[in-house]
Amino acid sequence: HVQLVESGGGAVQAGGSLRLSCAASAPTYSINCMGWFRQAPGRSREEVAVVYINTRSAKYGDSVKGRFTITQDNGKNTVYLRMNSLKPEDTAMYYCAARRPTSVSVDYWGQGTQVTVS
């Protein structure tokens, strides 16, 4: 079982930046992809950004393209989400997620970290 621990959330004013971190308890080479989802009150969970560990290719949700960047540090088994030009509509609980190579859906979830933009 892989544990994911997020950090870096907080409160920021519109236009500001935050960086989220997600540390995995297992080497990232044992994971096919990692990413970030978010969920605001009363809304469904939304995929924000995903990175494919072997190729380092990334994809982003339309609402964050050009503002958010997902990166990985395999030496630290960690994935980061850099969020720039934050908007109030980015306010949500952000969850780290990981999927094994043989899976078609998320296998592991982090506990979540709150991001509030005012």
Side-chain angles (χ1 to χ4, degrees), residues 42-53:
R43 302 188 66 177
S44 58
R45 189 167 291 187
E46 173 190 12
E47 182 178 290
V48 175
V50 173
V51 62
Y52 292 87
I53 299 301

Side-chain angles (χ1 to χ4, degrees), residues 7-72:
S7 60
V12 64
Q13 291 187 336
S17 298
L18 283 173
R19 189 181 78 159
L20 305 183
S21 300
C22 175
S25 63
T28 50
Y29 60 71
S30 65
I31 297 169
N32 183 43
C33 63
M34 292 180 68
W36 293 91
F37 291 73
R38 68 185 181 186
Q39 188 167 20
R43 302 188 66 177
S44 58
R45 189 167 291 187
E46 173 190 12
E47 182 178 290
V48 175
V50 173
V51 62
Y52 292 87
I53 299 301
N54 289 337
T55 64
R56 294 182 179 263
S57 63
K59 65 173 183 175
Y60 299 90
D62 288 341
S63 61
V64 306
K65 283 180 181 177
R67 299 188 298 122
F68 290 12
T69 303
I70 187 169
T71 57
Q72 65 190 76

Side-chain angles (χ1 to χ4, degrees), residues 1-4 24-26 30-31 100 107-110:
H1 183 75
V2 176
Q3 289 186 318
L4 304 175
S25 63
S30 65
I31 297 169
R100 295 175 298 176
D107 292 296
Y108 310 108
W109 291 96

